[in-house]
Amino acid sequence: MKNRYLLITLVTLIVLSFVITACGPTAEPAPAPAPVEEEEVAAPAECTNYVLVPKNLGNPYFDTGNTGAQEAAGELGITVLYQGSATADASEQITLLNSLIAQQVCGLAISANDSDALVPTGQAAMDAGIAVVTWDSAIAPAGRDLHINQAELEGIGRVQIEMASRLAGDDGGQIAILSATSTAPNQNAWIEVMEEVLTEAEYANLELVEVVYGDDDDTKSYNEAQALFTKYPDLKVIIAPTTVGIAASARAVTDADLIGQVFVTGLGTPNQMREYVKNGSSPEFALWNPADLAYLSVYAMHALAIGEIEAQAGATFTAGRLGQYTVQDDPDLGLNVLLGMPFVYDGDNIDDFDW
Ligand code: RAM
């Protein structure tokens, strides 16, 4: 996109130089057009309408993300609509994205329900001149310009095994993973890391008995947790790498009077988890700040759309209060921008957070 605006600027300068030559004294040679500095390229005035697309609506994690997106939108003087499908489903998401492409928005920031299925849709958007970033959950590199990554995969996977190990105690025991949907790119990547970390000698006393899927649906997640209690009476820990799954699992443990016997950990939001940290069903969990993640995503999407950066490694931009970021390339994740490290919440700090 940036090239287009450079070209328009150059053509304008050349045309202007002809006009000046035609009108000016004929003896004087026309001055050569000044070299165009990248910083001089003005943002196209029409690039003000963007959309933040969550995996699904009604999920407090994404709603919190939207508060950060709106903060960035206010600072940048742009509009960011928040539109998603009712369920965390790739085909519903594709239908929505197709309609947004037809509306010719300036940019899309998508949390993907499927890594590969969304590639053609992402490509269609980019072909239409729309800046495409993913945030939270990535489309495969061919289907987006950049992924805005909450934290390193390794860090997110490892911290969950560390927490599970602390909760299982010295003797270890059976653990299960209660995930989001079976196609969720982010959860699947984290589960892969967790399975690898579990092969380390330090975690030899933890036995992963099953991975089940609650589809980021509260009721389904609750029922899956209950099914785990029945199937594995010796279960020690449920790791739910999803904010929907962890809250539903902690509620299921609480309702089943299993506090102290089955512990829940994983990724959650402080407001949803506070009561479960306090009642002991989920003494610790981790997360990054979803508002910051979406805030950063809006800055990156806008920088791409107005040609301030190209989607290439080494490109730098400033994301408001979060400061400067550099686009990096990763063999698995492709071009991405990294927000930071996951943070562990527990009884000592949970009341410091109000989101
Ligand atoms: C859920 C979603 C989201 C994930 C968080 C941790 O809200 O699945 O994609 O990043 O959990």
Side-chain angles (χ1 to χ4, degrees), residues 55 59 61-62 111 136-137 150 180 186-187 190 216 241-244 267 287-288:
K55 276 181 177 170
N59 178 340
Y61 169 87
F62 292 114
S111 173
D136 175 67
S137 180
Q150 46 271 59
N186 51 345
Q187 271 86 16
W190 302 329
D216 269 353
T242 138
T243 60
V244 179
L267 306 174
L287 202 69
W288 47 92

